Amino acid sequence: MIVVMKERATEAQIAAVTERLEAYGFEVQPVIGARQTVLGAAGVQPDFDVRHIQVLDGVSNVVRVTSSYKYVGRSWQEEDTVIDIKGVRVGGDEVVMMAGPCSVESEEQLDAAAAAVAAEGATFLRGGAFKPRSSPYSFQGLGEEGLRLLRTVADRHDLRVITEVMTPSQVDLVGQYADVFQIGARNMQNFDLLRAVGRTETPVFLKRGLSATIKEWLMSAEYVMASGNPHVILCERGIRTFESSTRNTLDLSAVPVVKNRSHLPVFVDPSHAVGFRDKVVPLARAAVAVGADGLMVEVHPDPPRALSDGPQSLFFDQFSDMMRQLRLVAEAVGRPMRAAHETSV
Ligand code: PEP
Ligand code: MN
């Protein structure tokens, strides 16, 4: 809020307005000009009625500086949000790896993927049970059976479950199995869904929409937080541009931009960003270097036969090699990353 004092305002009036603003909890920064004094009043008070100040002696005008988001911003919370998910601190020092197949297809497929990623230090198993496919004729996921498999297999390998929820009516069901709700890119502005997951306490992994600006993405996070759930993780997964050589364009600059504006953890999904497995690894390295708090990567025991996103899914040996490289990059930027288990699969 900016309080513009009248040109002839006296020092006593300026002091009185300052005192009143401070009493309301604002931090006041005076800017004393040659003709006029302006008082900057900082502090987030969305319901504050500016007329309380407008009516004071010596005040010329009060201007509200509104921001589209509040809870997601650093002015609301300066320190980074760290979300403890069954002992893994998301948004803390450690670079966290979420990996697994695009879709849950069978217990054998999921178990093989879970064993491979857990052995390399991943702590979350990803996999879609409800799939947002661009074509209604593509594989739509196993539904509740897929959720059940995710939970069973993840528990077997000491992994946490992240899976997509597509509609408000699925929130209760998916919430019975998932440790983290994934909101897919296509649903980033499904405001009813954002509110529905916002009414739960389960952490929400919010992917950036296909054509969403950073501001729109943060406003979607605001929907979740304003509904009562502070546990939001943001994920950059590539945006639509004129470039057609890759599936999307990975906006790596979003990572430092968002980390500057928001206290929320920021992840990168290089798989959906680039769409080709040979390019996933270099982008993953870049994501860690640029400051991502974690990555989401698609891995499949038999990518050529995957029911969805096979071309971008890593083979197990590629995943192992990627993890080895990422640990080096993480070390170079001063962040810990889990080691591979001694007994590799
Ligand atoms: C996915 O994670 O499988 C997925 C569909 O991602 P996105 O919403 O980013 O396209
Ligand atoms: Mn996918």
Side-chain angles (χ1 to χ4, degrees):
M1 184 164 66
I2 293 166
V3 181
V4 183
M5 301 300 294
K6 287 180 179 158
E7 277 187 36
R8 288 183 304 280
T10 63
E11 276 183 29
Q13 287 171 336
I14 295 169
V17 172
T18 303
E19 209 171 287
R20 190 68 68 87
L21 285 166
E22 284 171 348
Y24 280 119
F26 291 100
E27 220 172 275
V28 182
Q29 191 71 45
V31 181
I32 301 161
R35 292 157 60 104
Q36 235 174 347
T37 292
V38 171
L39 302 172
V44 183
Q45 296 191 31
D47 301 328
F48 185 74
D49 187 341
V50 295
R51 288 176 299 181
H52 288 305
I53 303 302
Q54 188 76 68
V55 295
L56 299 179
D57 288 343
V59 172
S60 161
N61 195 17
V62 181
V63 184
R64 251 200 123 103
V65 184
T66 50
S67 160
S68 315
Y69 47 81
K70 175 179 74 153
Y71 298 116
V72 307
R74 288 251 184 221
S75 48
W76 175 257
Q77 182 187 308
E78 210 176 313
E79 71 278 10
D80 288 347
T81 283
V82 180
I83 309 168
D84 189 311
I85 305 174
K86 292 185 172 166
V88 172
R89 287 163 50 81
V90 172
D93 285 347
E94 182 187 342
V95 178
V96 171
M97 176 58 70
M98 301 178 170
C102 179
S103 301
V104 178
E105 299 170 9
S106 68
E107 178 153 6
E108 297 66 41
Q109 171 242 19
L110 194 61
D111 190 80
V117 303
E120 286 300 334
T123 45
F124 286 78
L125 178 63
R126 65 143 288 144
F130 295 102
K131 294 302 301 175
R133 303 308 300 280
S134 298
S135 164
Y137 307 116
S138 300
F139 177 59
Q140 303 285 307
L142 295 182
E144 187 170 4
E145 170 63 5
L147 296 175
R148 202 185 55 74
L149 288 174
L150 274 167
R151 186 73 269 163
T152 309
V153 169
D155 288 345
R156 196 180 288 155
H157 296 280
D158 193 23
L159 294 166
R160 291 134 203 88
V161 170
I162 173 164
T163 194
E164 180 157 356
V165 56
M166 295 207 316
T167 67
S169 62
Q170 287 171 357
V171 169
D172 281 350
L173 176 69
V174 177
Q176 288 168 33
Y177 297 92
D179 298 308
V180 180
F181 286 128
Q182 176 169 321
I183 302 294
R186 290 157 192 80
N187 267 322
M188 189 205 83
Q189 286 188 316
N190 181 338
F191 302 118
D192 283 348
L193 179 60
L194 298 175
R195 283 202 188 90
V197 293
R199 288 191 291 267
T200 74
E201 287 175 5
T202 302
V204 176
F205 189 83
L206 180 64
K207 287 199 162 189
R208 182 176 180 183
L210 277 71
S211 303
T213 63
I214 288 173
K215 191 173 168 194
E216 287 164 340
W217 185 23
L218 292 176
M219 286 195 286
S220 289
E222 185 78 15
Y223 264 91
V224 179
M225 293 190 74
S227 303
N229 188 345
H231 310 305
V232 181
I233 304 160
L234 298 163
C235 179
E236 160 64 41
R237 48 76 72 205
I239 49 174
R240 282 258 165 98
T241 66
F242 51 82
E243 183 53 67
S244 57
S245 302
T246 50
R247 184 175 176 182
N248 292 288
T249 297
L250 180 58
D251 181 11
L252 279 175
S253 53
V255 178
V257 170
V258 171
K259 288 203 77 70
N260 181 258
R261 290 188 197 169
S262 175
H263 50 82
L264 296 172
V266 183
F267 274 51
V268 168
D269 169 354
S271 306
H272 291 87
V274 73
F276 300 97
R277 76 173 66 86
D278 61 321
K279 295 168 189 77
V280 168
V281 178
L283 289 180
R285 288 198 304 261
V288 173
V290 84
D293 294 302
L295 273 76
M296 169 174 271
V297 173
E298 287 186 338
V299 183
H300 194 285
D302 189 4
R305 272 193 261 277
L307 295 182
S308 59
D309 287 348
Q312 68 196 32
S313 299
L314 298 183
F315 288 95
F316 291 166
D317 59 342
Q318 287 179 305
F319 184 75
S320 303
D321 196 38
M322 180 187 78
M323 291 298 278
R324 186 186 55 73
Q325 296 181 37
L326 295 186
R327 281 189 283 270
L328 294 172
V329 179
E331 195 187 333
V333 294
R335 299 189 69 169
M337 215 174 152
R338 293 207 181 196
H341 294 179
E342 304 266 293
T343 48
S344 193
V345 284

